[in-house]
Each structure stands twice: as C-alpha cells, then as structure tokens.
Amino acid sequence: HTENLLDILSDVAINSAFNSQEFEKRRTQYLSGLASSKDDPNSISSNVSSAIMFGKNHPYGEFANETSVRKITLDMCNQYYNTWFRPNIAYLSIVGDITPAEAKKLVEKYFSKWQKAPVNMPTYAKPTAPDKTVVEIVDRPQSVQSVIDICYPVDIMRGNPDYIKLQVANTILGGGIFRLFTNLREKHAYTYGAYSSIAFQPLISSFEATTSVRNAVTDSAVYQMLFEMKRLQNEPVPADELDMARNYMTGTFSLSLENPQTIATFAINTERYGLPKDYYTNYLKNIALVSANDVQSVAKKYILPGHANIVVVGKASDIASTLEQFSADGKVKYYDVDGNPYDPTKAKMAVPEGVTARMVLDKYIQAVGGMDNISKIKDITMKGSFSMQGMALEMTMMYKIPGKYLNEIVMNGQSVQKQVLNGDSGRSYGMQGTKDINGDELEKLKMEGLLFPEFEYAKNGYTVELKEMTKIDGQDAYALVITSPGKQVTTDYYSVETGLKLRTISTSETPMGQVTSQGDILEYTDVLGVKFPKKIKQTMGPQSFEITVNSIQANTGLSDDLFNLN
C-alpha cells in the first residue's frame, strides 16, 4: 500500500481544504473537550504551570480556553495552513522495506508539486528559572487532594554533552519507579505515584516533578520532593542504584526499537537538532559511560530546588499557610485557572454593614418567586440528562409536600441508583443492593428532599453564617456557611445583584474517603412563577459533568405510592 499511502498523504499536505461545516464540527468537539477538562485539577495544573514557567505570550505557555477557541475563524485556519505548511520547513521520514533510491523516486512523484515559500520563523525571549523558589496556588475550594508540580525552564537541548547524563539523573530521581516514587508512596504512603520528567523541546526545555496527595500532607509531600532533589545534588549515587537506572533506560530504549515510529523519530531528531549521524548508534554505549560523578554534576547544574516554581492546585484554606515555608519570601502567590495572577484579599470582600444571613435568604426566596407562588406548589417532577465518562444517563427527581422525595438515575433504561424519602424514613436502591438510610445520611436526604431548604434551616437545627463576599464567575456573591446538626458543612453562594443561588460546595465522607462536590447553577427556568435550576454543572472529585433539566411539571397529583419504601 506504499503508493496509496503516499498518494493520500501528499494530497492532505498539498491540497488541504477547509470548509465551514467541518470547521464548526471540529470546534464543537474541541469545546466539548475543554468543558470536560476545565475543572480537572490535573489539566488545571498543566495549564497554569506552563503559563508560569514560560509566560502566556510564549508558545509553550499558551493554552486554549473557550474564549480563544471561539475567536478562531475559518479564514484564520486557511491563513495558518498557507503560511506554515511548506516543504522547505518540513521533514519526511520513511521507514520500511524500501531502498533510498525507491523512496526518493516516490517522494518526487507525489510531493514535487508542493510549492516552497518564504517562511519567517518567529523568535521568542528565552524563559528562565526563577531567581528564588516561588509557591503558586490555584485555589480549588472543592478539592480534598492537592496536585503538586515543581517546575521550571531548563536551558538544554538534545545533542548537548549533558543530555544523556541528565536523562540518567532524572531517571534516578523520578523518571521511572525510583526515588520520588519510593519516598512518597512506599515510605510515607502520601500518594499512589510521584514522578519527574524533563521535556526536551526545540525552543527551551523544562523540568517537572509531580504528584497528587491529600490536603493534610501537601506540605510534607513538597518537603520530601525538594529533599530528593537536593539529595541528588549533595550525595553521590550508589553504584547499585546507578546500575538500576542505566539498565532501566537501556531496556526501555531497546524495546522502543521494535516500533518503526521510533526509528522515524530518531531520523527526524538527527536532522532537526543537528545530532551526529551515529548519535543513536552510540546511545546505549553513552548511557553505560555515565558515572556517579556525572549524575551529581548535572544535578547541581539542572536540578534546581532553590530556583523552582512550586505550583499547587488545591484548597487554599487548607494548604496555603503550610506552604509559605517553601517560598523564598515567605509568601504564596495566587493564580486563577486561566493562569492569571490575582490578590485573594481583593477577591474576598467585607460584607456590608447591616447585611445578615437571613436577609440573603429572604432575597433568594423573593428572587425565585416569593412565598405566595412557592406555597402554591404541592409537587414537582423534574427530568434531566447528563453524560459521565462517555455514558448517557437520565435523572428523575420527584418532590411531594410534605416530606416525600425520590431521586433516580437510569442508564440504558435500567435504574442504577435510586433514593426514596417517605417522611422520616429513607432507603437507597442500586447495584450494591438495597439499604435503609439512617443517621446523618438521612438528615441530609431530608434536606435534599425539600424544594427550598432555605425555609427549613432553623426548624431542622441547622446554623447559617454569612461568612464573606467573594467573586463567582465574575459576579459578587454572598457566601453562606450552613452547618447541619451532624456537623456537615455546606457553603452556598448567592448573587448580590439578583439574589439567586450560584454555587453549592459540600464535603461528605464516603467509603472511598472524603469527597467534595460543587454544583454551579448555570441557568434557571420559570414554572408557575417559580424559578428552578435548568442547567447545573456538577463537579465531584476529579469528575465534572453538566446536568440539563429537560422538563419540569408542577402540581400533577403525584401518587403517594411512588414514595413507598419497598
């Protein structure tokens, strides 16, 4: 299929066409991917770390968001293609059962029509590691874990005499299952894994050491990661550990040769970086020549615990004060999810004098329709849909006053989870079987079963505290902290302007440990003069999904039989 393949490949390269239908389809797919990763702490960490290391005006520090993707036009795509897709800045590597003469003949046949054109390559300022170590936090209040990334730019390219030595040093530190992994996972049980890497790139390289840990051990994990970086500088590597790292690299390299793509990459790297023609032929021999002195020498030069960005995505109120010790100036810098610095003291504002929690709740009740309209509603049926991990799910919620509630999730027509409240009794049904709901879990279900729990806080023994004013997606909002009799804490955020609820954050204990969930109400809809959530973005741990309420019916006379516990 060689000629068929080259015919298709050359057609794509030379005759690419961009039409509006394909453009919109691709953009929709891209935006969907961004939406799913927007609240993923690992994606946030990757984006913000890149922006901090390289600067947002550098190609390595730039990342897409919804606004930037929506600004792209079809004309911009055509212009990009016509500017950059040129044979004079392209590489073509062919690996297979073919002679150079045969390959050259076929390339001339299929690619000779590809027109050269001047290409003005842009230049960029070279990013550098910080003068002193800096701690940067992305505050994610719903996080029960912290994502840690110790990172900085490294001025080294492929072909540098230190390149292979640094690869060996990084392998010992965390490029395989080595020191970081052994320390943080096996010795201290902080995490499932901890690793380091050096990304060797054409403009500037970078170092990163990463892990995810519980909030309570975030500072301890950072200490151990810095400790291992310093140990590599200060202590010669024992012979057995050096042998293990070299053997690991040798084995990985040898296995990679089974993939033709690896050979193609080696050929392009040789040309792209001006490497000696025998560079990969001698690669294993050069690994074997790396000594303990070499490792310590490159560690002092390139492993820089005193000149690093310590980027942490997590719950700032739990971790910020404990991380100040690692910053050279004793301070922590804050960044939002788009990599923009901000002052958290300005994001949180003092509550105006005279405003109380009761006033905030009363304004909310008025904003959603007022007591007169709310009191006319005797039952509600809400049906919605959402997608989680590629699975399409449907949700039904039924409320009947007083004290009856049903919440069911269905996949492919089969109920996978169901909770029913009938007065003072509750029961759950699911793939793990049926069980009665008791204790704090029952009290929580009773509050969920209220259409507007804001009416019932005092009656049910809940305390409500107006904590502060803050920003929620650019809106000023009051933060109300609601504490249950069982000491479960929920924070609700209400728009200062409209009075409507914007966000709910709650933490609960599960068999998998403590889980924090966040619900953002993106849109309301009106039913009989009362506003109900229409779109809700739900984040639970690392997962995020958007619930769309497709229908809401009121006062349909729901049967009590629907809420029987059977």
Side-chain angles (χ1 to χ4, degrees), residues 35-178:
S36 64
S37 65
K38 182 178 179 181
D39 289 314
D40 174 52
N42 291 298
S43 296
I44 294 170
S45 176
S46 176
N47 289 341
V48 176
S49 294
S50 295
I52 290 172
M53 276 194 290
F54 306 111
K56 295 183 71 175
N57 293 323
H58 191 281
Y60 296 168
E62 185 180 35
F63 57 89
N65 57 35
E66 184 176 349
T67 301
S68 65
V69 172
R70 292 194 183 280
K71 286 181 179 179
I72 297 172
T73 65
L74 185 61
D75 286 342
M76 292 166 67
C77 292
N78 276 302
Q79 182 181 4
Y80 184 92
Y81 168 75
N82 290 327
T83 300
W84 295 102
F85 278 70
R86 295 294 177 181
N88 41 305
I89 59 167
Y91 299 91
L92 176 60
S93 178
I94 298 175
V95 178
D97 185 13
I98 187 172
T99 67
E102 291 170 337
K104 183 177 180 181
K105 183 178 179 180
L106 289 173
V107 170
E108 289 175 344
K109 176 180 177 180
Y110 288 102
F111 287 90
S112 60
K113 294 180 181 178
W114 196 5
Q115 296 298 308
K116 296 181 180 181
V119 179
N120 295 319
M121 302 298 288
T123 58
Y124 304 94
K126 182 174 287 187
T128 58
D131 292 336
K132 296 180 180 180
T133 296
V134 184
V135 176
E136 293 104 345
I137 287 181
V138 181
D139 187 15
R140 194 170 181 268
Q142 70 271 35
S143 288
V144 296
Q145 283 195 322
S146 299
V147 178
I148 302 169
D149 188 356
I150 299 177
C151 57
Y152 51 87
V154 177
D155 189 11
I156 184 173
M157 301 295 170
R158 295 176 189 270
N160 185 300
D162 289 335
Y163 173 77
I164 293 177
K165 300 172 187 177
L166 183 55
Q167 283 188 306
V168 175
N170 179 67
T171 298
I172 294 167
L173 178 63
I177 303 178
F178 291 99

Side-chain angles (χ1 to χ4, degrees), residues 17-32:
F18 300 86
N19 62 68
S20 57
Q21 184 177 359
E22 289 294 327
F23 173 78
E24 292 300 337
K25 178 182 177 181
R26 183 69 186 97
R27 179 155 63 180
T28 299
Q29 292 173 340
Y30 202 99
L31 288 170
S32 176

Side-chain angles (χ1 to χ4, degrees), residues 350-361:
V351 176
E353 188 175 351
V355 178
T356 66
R358 185 67 260 169
M359 291 170 64
V360 174
L361 294 176

Side-chain angles (χ1 to χ4, degrees), residues 406-418:
L406 180 151
N407 184 337
E408 184 173 25
I409 296 174
V410 174
M411 181 176 66
N412 295 328
Q414 181 178 356
S415 178
V416 295
Q417 180 179 312
K418 181 179 177 181

